[in-house]
Amino acid sequence: MTTLPVRRAGGGLLLLFVVWLLALAGTPALAQSAAAEQVERQQTQPLNNAPVWREVRSGEAHFTTVRGPETNVLIQSEGNTWRLLRNGPVSVYGGILLVVVPAAIALFFLAKGALKVHGTPTGRTIQRFSTFERIVHWGTAITFVVLAVTGLAILFGKHLLAPVFGTAFLGLLLTVGKAIHNYVGPLFLLFTVLMIFAFARDNIWQAYDALWIRKAGGLATGEHVPSGRFNFGEKSWFWLGVTVLGLVVAASGLVMDFPNFGQTRETMQWANIIHATTAILFMALALGHIYMGTIGVEGAYGSMKTGQVDEAWAREHHEFWYNEVKAGKSGRP
Ligand code: HEM
């Protein structure tokens, strides 16, 4: 009971402060109507400050001597929508996806095992990747993994690392991790662009890709479906993953990396949501690619490590390409 006058006095002080703020803001008509509404609200519903907060969150531009985009907007309410999206659906569904995909791959591996080469190795090798192509591939792969690890720490560290290692450790880790992420990002873009130039030609659609789609790549049956230098699965990864997701992730990252080009808070918030969403989809797809390139397909890792493959491997996995190379052609479309 005794707290009521104290609260009333508090409400009055707040009201005075708000009237002063609004008057300072230099929009007298607006300030007066908001202040009048607040005065009225205090009579009908004491302690209800809704008109004040509505005014504060209106996003209305006022007056300031500080120069820069939106420096005259006190509160940008869309920031709350961004926070709810990022910490809600993006983190929750993104997190679920990044657990379900590796679990599904592990189950697939346990059920089917690796795709083996059926014929006996011939001991004769042919060149599958040039030194330049391998440098570009590993450059993209290494920068991707560094960005994925540091990005995941930024997005999920609060939930996964802080409870175990404490917030002080997380703070230190993210100070370093975020700086690494910011600097490695542009390097990843450079490698991605080189990657697109190096491999676009080999990933153009060919009529025989329809056969690969009809047989679902032989993934379920273990059958080897003939293909060119790259099969339809690899082509999908190239266009959808490396090219589209790679460029969108990089572009949205650069919008956040360089906030000095006058972009507004709303632009940065959309960039963040697009970046986090596409990065998660990219990581989920990459898990499939990494599986096929390591334990999923026998001999695949060696081809990118040394650039050479056994002729038996080439014939079974990329028969059309193999036939062309053996006929003395480039094996490229
Ligand atoms: C050109 C490439 C890239 C640039 C310039 C870039 C830049 C950035 C920036 C500035 C942030 C915001 C950090 C902060 O919270 O202050 C960020 C967050 C993030 N990045 Fe990247 N990045 C790039 C590529 C990637 C890639 C390839 C991945 C994943 C494989 C990735 C995953 C993430 C994730 C998961 C976040 C956290 C998003 C969030 O906390 O809302 N990024 N990135």
Side-chain angles (χ1 to χ4, degrees), residues 2-52:
T2 49
T3 56
L4 205 58
V6 177
R7 279 205 196 154
R8 284 233 165 99
L13 270 178
L14 179 67
L15 180 61
L16 265 178
F17 175 68
V18 167
V19 171
W20 174 71
L21 258 186
L22 293 175
L24 266 188
T27 49
L30 239 161
Q32 273 166 21
S33 70
E37 202 189 343
Q38 176 65 17
V39 170
E40 196 188 316
R41 183 63 59 91
Q42 285 307 304
Q43 306 302 321
T44 53
Q45 295 175 38
L47 303 179
N48 181 335
N49 295 320
V52 174

Side-chain angles (χ1 to χ4, degrees), residues 77-306:
S77 286
E78 291 78 8
N80 198 34
T81 315
W82 163 76
R83 191 177 59 83
L84 293 173
L85 268 177
R86 179 193 181 267
N87 296 348
V90 173
S91 302
V92 174
Y93 296 119
I96 291 173
L97 189 72
L98 291 178
V99 172
V100 167
V101 170
I105 290 174
L107 281 178
F108 181 82
F109 182 68
L110 288 177
K112 294 270 171 201
L115 204 62
K116 299 241 186 273
V117 180
H118 295 142
T120 30
T122 60
R124 292 185 303 274
T125 60
I126 53 177
Q127 184 166 24
R128 182 150 170 77
F129 295 112
S130 68
T131 307
F132 173 71
E133 285 172 335
R134 282 182 295 132
I135 290 173
V136 168
H137 175 272
W138 288 118
T140 317
I142 291 167
T143 51
F144 177 90
V145 170
V146 170
L147 290 165
V149 171
T150 49
L152 287 175
I154 295 170
L155 189 55
F156 297 113
K158 188 172 74 175
H159 308 292
L160 301 180
L161 301 176
V164 183
F165 300 106
T167 48
F169 175 77
L170 181 68
L172 183 71
L173 188 82
L174 289 188
T175 307
V176 179
K178 194 179 135 42
I180 292 175
H181 196 95
N182 286 355
Y183 285 101
V184 173
L187 205 57
F188 167 80
L189 175 60
L190 176 73
F191 279 117
T192 299
V193 171
L194 288 175
M195 181 90 131
I196 294 170
F197 276 112
F199 290 111
R201 187 173 140 196
D202 304 288
N203 283 285
I204 294 168
W205 166 270
Q206 304 292 329
Y208 50 66
D209 289 325
L211 180 71
W212 196 95
I213 298 174
R214 262 206 316 281
K215 301 205 167 200
L219 277 180
T221 55
E223 174 191 4
H224 288 298
V225 186
S227 70
R229 191 178 186 207
F230 297 123
N231 63 40
F232 183 75
E234 291 168 308
K235 288 180 183 181
S236 307
W237 161 244
F238 177 80
W239 291 117
L240 211 74
V242 176
T243 308
V244 175
L245 292 177
L247 291 180
V248 173
V249 157
S252 53
L254 289 179
V255 170
M256 294 186 282
D257 243 355
F258 297 97
N260 45 314
F261 288 104
Q263 52 274 56
T264 60
R265 278 173 275 188
E266 196 179 355
T267 307
M268 302 280 279
Q269 285 150 3
W270 280 117
N272 179 276
I273 295 296
I274 291 169
H275 190 75
T277 310
T278 46
I280 287 166
L281 291 175
F282 201 7
M283 284 186 266
L285 276 184
L287 286 170
H289 173 73
I290 293 167
Y291 167 74
M292 299 295 280
T294 52
I295 56 171
V297 179
E298 195 185 46
Y301 177 70
S303 78
M304 198 45 96
K305 189 176 162 212
T306 63

